[in-house]
Amino acid sequence: MIFLLGGFVFAAELEIQDDMDSVFDEPSEDIVIEVPKDIDYREQFEKNEKIVVSGDFIMRAGGGVGWPEAPFKERPEQVAGAYGKATISFDARPDNTIRIFGKLKTEMDSDSGSDIWKMLEFDELYCDYNAVDKMFFRFGKFYMTWGQGRLFRPGNFCENYEDGTTMRFTLPTVLDGVSFVAHYKKRTFSSSDKTIHKGDLDFLGHIDKTFGPINFSLAGLYNYDTGQRYLGSVKTNVLHTDLFGDYVLNRSDEGDITHQGLVGFFREWTDAKLYGEYYYDGRIKGDEDHCFGMAADIDNMFGSPIGMGLKWLHAVNNEAGQFIGGFSISPWKHVTIRAAIPWCYGDKELDDDFYEGFPIKSKLAFTLFVELGSSF
């Protein structure tokens, strides 16, 4: 997979995050949502291996030039740096009723201003329990994704849940999957305040049902402080193209109601993928916004080992957005050379959800780096 638009962090002024990598993560057959009916829960507990260890290691180094304000009208900033990440995972299955999974991670960022390598910490750590092949429990620290959007994610009520502690109870044979989730948001317990506050807890439910070629999902979230959120999702395939949509209703603790909506498509060919979304954000009354986004990934361009990735996001009301274009080539085994051109345009400010860590003002940059990585 050559999609490089998350890329390497040269400096705070030239940040390009890794979020877009997940847009085209395998399996490509269903890149948007985890559908319980497609998961063989029983198979997860029937493997004979007692424990499996795996991991990966990646190092990137390079540099670039960029204009924080008006491109080409002032002297560009020149930056260089390095980034590294290593993970090691274990998957233990003592018998066919229980599974314990953990993934340790450490990172090195030359621009962080802190220790060269961060201390090892658990990126994921959870236990699965299979009760009579009809009920499945998962407890611990893990990732979840709800909703259909990837460029914009109004329906992902579980965003950043890996930072807290979560319990999920799943009934895979009811309809096409029913899940109940309780999540505790805090990462640490205070020595002076051991009370679990109501606002620190989220309670969620999720239902899946398929009628012919169309999959429907309903979900809800309740939080004592922030109120309620409701999600309706639909997904189908027409002429080898995935079509999907999300509708979100937000009801605050004061009773105010706002709406969000998203529609999109995904199409895959042998060496290319194309993804597009339209997003309506009505959370701020009187200042509703409409956003468009597209992402593309092309491997083996014209029969060569060169790959290309593109991403574009645009906010209509603000007349601002971001564009990233990138290329990659792998001249040797485990070695990849990547180049990216991030461009942020428009003078009006955008919220953090839109820019995903990009600078607010217009900017153009050119970056080049070499990546060495492997997994086991």
Side-chain angles (χ1 to χ4, degrees):
M1 189 44 107
I2 63 93
F3 203 81
L4 53 87
L5 303 185
F8 167 71
V9 180
F10 296 111
E13 295 83 359
L14 297 177
E15 284 187 0
I16 304 175
Q17 289 196 343
D18 288 324
D19 293 314
M20 278 304 300
D21 290 340
S22 62
V23 173
F24 298 111
D25 273 353
E26 299 294 340
S28 57
E29 291 78 12
D30 185 0
I31 65 161
V32 178
I33 187 170
E34 182 184 24
V35 181
K37 74 182 185 64
D38 293 334
I39 302 173
D40 187 349
Y41 288 90
R42 185 177 304 171
E43 186 271 340
Q44 294 183 7
F45 297 94
E46 290 181 346
K47 293 186 178 181
N48 294 324
E49 299 94 335
K50 292 297 182 182
I51 185 167
V52 175
V53 178
S54 60
D56 60 72
F57 179 83
I58 187 170
M59 282 293 299
R60 297 168 181 161
V65 296
W67 291 264
E69 299 295 337
F72 304 112
K73 293 184 180 180
E74 56 187 20
R75 185 180 181 86
E77 296 181 355
Q78 302 177 21
V79 293
Y83 172 81
K85 182 176 74 171
T87 67
I88 184 166
S89 305
F90 63 86
D91 191 344
R93 304 167 188 261
D95 54 51
N96 62 0
T97 64
I98 194 166
R99 173 193 181 207
I100 302 169
F101 177 85
K103 181 167 73 172
L104 287 160
K105 179 182 74 172
T106 182
E107 291 180 298
M108 181 274 288
D109 185 353
S110 63
D111 189 55
S112 65
S114 58
D115 296 338
I116 295 179
W117 287 94
K118 296 181 181 178
M119 292 186 62
L120 275 172
E121 65 176 6
F122 276 105
D123 188 48
E124 291 186 273
L125 179 63
Y126 59 83
C127 175
D128 287 334
Y129 183 73
N130 167 18
V132 297
D133 294 332
K134 301 292 185 182
M135 298 178 290
F136 296 85
F137 297 86
R138 174 171 291 184
F139 179 81
K141 172 183 168 69
F142 55 91
Y143 291 86
M144 290 196 303
T145 301
W146 287 2
Q148 302 290 338
R150 284 298 177 95
L151 301 177
F152 307 101
R153 298 180 291 272
N156 188 14
F157 297 170
C158 310
E159 190 123 34
N160 300 320
Y161 270 22
E162 66 277 8
D163 290 336
T165 301
T166 307
M167 183 182 72
R168 185 177 68 191
F169 169 54
T170 302
L171 299 168
T173 60
V174 177
L175 298 176
D176 288 318
V178 175
S179 297
F180 301 96
V181 177
H183 173 73
Y184 180 66
K185 295 181 179 181
K186 289 187 176 180
R187 291 178 59 112
T188 60
F189 292 100
S190 171
S191 58
S192 59
D193 183 6
K194 301 182 183 299
T195 304
I196 297 179
H197 299 280
K198 294 179 180 179
D200 295 333
L201 293 169
D202 284 347
F203 299 96
L204 306 93
H206 189 281
I207 299 172
D208 266 294
K209 181 61 180 176
T210 298
F211 297 96
I214 305 176
N215 175 259
F216 294 92
S217 299
L218 295 174
L221 177 150
Y222 173 76
N223 180 276
Y224 182 82
D225 287 344
T226 60
Q228 307 154 42
R229 303 189 71 193
Y230 301 96
L231 166 68
S233 297
V234 61
K235 180 181 178 181
T236 189
N237 186 281
V238 178
L239 300 176
H240 308 291
T241 301
D242 286 345
L243 304 176
F244 52 85
D246 282 340
Y247 167 71
V248 177
L249 185 148
N250 307 294
R251 186 180 187 276
S252 70
D253 191 46
E254 293 79 18
D256 297 327
I257 294 177
T258 58
H259 308 271
Q260 296 168 267
L262 176 143
V263 292
F265 71 90
F266 170 69
R267 179 66 186 267
E268 180 178 14
W269 296 268
T270 302
D271 292 320
K273 299 178 178 69
L274 181 64
Y275 195 93
E277 289 181 4
Y278 160 77
Y279 170 47
Y280 166 75
D281 186 357
R283 288 175 294 180
I284 303 176
K285 292 183 179 181
D287 192 26
E288 294 85 357
D289 204 357
H290 304 265
C291 301
F292 298 90
M294 295 195 71
D297 180 49
I298 303 173
D299 293 328
N300 306 314
M301 292 180 59
F302 310 110
S304 73
I306 299 175
M308 181 181 71
L310 299 171
K311 173 189 170 184
W312 173 57
L313 299 178
H314 179 76
V316 176
N317 287 8
N318 289 325
E319 298 180 350
Q322 63 172 240
F323 174 83
I324 316 171
F327 295 88
S328 73
I329 185 171
S330 183
W332 306 287
K333 191 174 182 179
H334 305 304
V335 176
T336 305
I337 300 173
R338 303 185 188 272
I341 305 174
W343 173 40
C344 298
Y345 60 90
D347 296 327
K348 296 183 180 179
E349 292 189 357
L350 299 170
D351 59 42
D352 292 338
D353 292 339
F354 185 91
Y355 259 116
E356 296 292 350
F358 271 70
I360 297 300
K361 299 293 185 179
S362 303
K363 176 188 290 187
L364 178 67
F366 300 91
T367 64
L368 177 69
F369 63 92
V370 179
E371 177 182 298
L372 171 66
S374 184
S375 59
F376 62 90

